[in-house]
Amino acid sequence: MITLGPFAVGQDGTLSPRAPGLRPSLRFAWRGRPCEAEWRDEKLQLRALAGRIPSTVDKGQARSRSFAAAATLPPELPEGWRLRLTPDHQLTFELDAPAQPTAVALVGTIVRFAMALDPYLDRLEAAGTH
């Protein structure tokens, strides 16, 4: 067995956390936005920061448009996806996917998540969320 960052890699190429109780994660950026894939209890929790709702002080109309655009998204999101508004008015997309046992499958899951974000990011950007 060898180690690859926070993962132990078996002879057959399967990944597992390097130590019991460890939740390995990979951080990456998509379209300039911070994203994370965290291995939790045989699931891969994917998160992407979509942007921040504008402040009322800076852009009052953009704030209304951003909230309106965000409100239309949840019914259209793929199954299992969530859109969350954080206390500091950032919008995040989240998905719990099955943790794939190999590095190739792990990267494939991350890429599919990132690619599927594009139309939602476009809509939020058009409404003023950055």
Side-chain angles (χ1 to χ4, degrees), residues 50-69:
R52 183 182 300 275
I53 300 288
S55 166
T56 54
V57 173
D58 297 329
K59 301 174 184 174
Q61 290 181 346
R63 180 179 176 86
S64 297
R65 286 193 311 272
S66 291
F67 273 123

Side-chain angles (χ1 to χ4, degrees), residues 4-128:
L4 177 63
F7 295 101
V9 182
Q11 296 220 357
D12 61 353
T14 58
L15 298 174
S16 61
R18 194 172 55 199
L22 184 66
R23 295 192 324 219
S25 65
L26 301 168
R27 289 180 179 81
F28 60 99
W30 183 250
R31 291 177 52 171
R33 291 167 171 82
C35 302
E36 182 178 34
E38 183 178 18
W39 190 297
R40 290 179 171 228
D41 304 321
E42 303 306 315
K43 291 201 184 250
L44 188 65
Q45 185 178 56
L46 299 154
R47 280 186 299 279
L49 176 63
R52 183 182 300 275
I53 300 288
S55 166
T56 54
V57 173
D58 297 329
K59 301 174 184 174
Q61 290 181 346
R63 180 179 176 86
S64 297
R65 286 193 311 272
S66 291
F67 273 123
T72 67
L73 293 179
E76 299 177 21
L77 294 175
E79 185 176 336
W81 285 50
R82 299 175 301 280
L83 178 63
R84 190 169 69 88
L85 178 64
T86 65
D88 61 349
H89 287 178
Q90 294 187 72
L91 291 168
T92 61
F93 288 98
E94 298 176 345
L95 171 66
D96 292 333
Q100 301 295 321
T102 66
V104 172
L106 175 68
V107 170
T109 300
I110 291 169
V111 169
R112 283 188 297 277
F113 174 72
M115 298 294 290
L117 281 171
D118 275 353
Y120 308 113
L121 295 176
D122 289 343
R123 287 173 55 187
L124 290 171
E125 283 177 3

